[in-house]
Amino acid sequence: MKINIYNNKQEIGNAVASVIAGKVLTKTNCILGLATGSTPIPTYNSLIELYKNGVVDFSGVRTFNLDEYYGIGSMHEQSYYKFMYDNLFSKINIDLKNTKIPSSQPKNLEQECIDYDESIEKAGGIDLQILGIGHNGHIAFNEPSDVFTYGTHIVDLTEDTIQANKRFFNSIDEVPKKAITMGIGTILKAREIIIIATGKDKANAIKAMLSKNIDPKCPASILNAHTNVTVFLDKEAASLI
Ligand code: PGA
């Protein structure tokens, strides 16, 4: 894995946005895998600026998001559908029909998971996947476990993740306890992966990921098996490596 260390989040945002813009410029119909959470916001802000300045055109781009809370509905204030609309899609010229996020309330859960993986395959596979990392080493909502789960699936969120997510909700009772997430195999099929971590609270997870022992107890460690991963860290997230 290549590791790039920056002074702060905004520098990372600018750098990652430049990589994404470069991908879109060289392949106008590229497929991007996108993430939610606090980490990619500077990247999305920088991409919006690049779009406004006429540098990048998203009209041919298709996107697949990593995950969605199960059961809350896509119009919920904290759904990842809403997050993506508010933080990126409504501010660039992407066709909303080309943006895919797992359904929060699928009629048939099992079929939704199968269809999600199939639609990524049919689109030609993800060219560039953006990832954050959880304090517990999760990527997307692949939580620490005894085994890796390969396809898109429903997951019980761990207490650690529920606690981390509660900052977005009025009370802990409102935080969803389940999510639909791309699996480890879905993520590894991406041709190129960028994983971003900022802040001291991510330093332990980054240290575990880079330990080179691939272990489902640190789901991000599987990225050591991929040949095209770049890690973007600020100094605090890099402080234990
Ligand atoms: P965060 O979440 O960007 O809000 O820290 C990252 C993650 O849990 O994957």
Side-chain angles (χ1 to χ4, degrees), residues 36-40 132-134 138 140 167-168 202:
T36 52
S38 311
T39 307
I133 185 169
H138 75 202
R167 67 194 195 276
F168 301 114
K202 297 291 174 68

Side-chain angles (χ1 to χ4, degrees), residues 13 36 52 119 153 178 239:
T36 52
K52 284 187 184 155
S119 55
H153 61 287
K178 287 179 187 284
S239 59

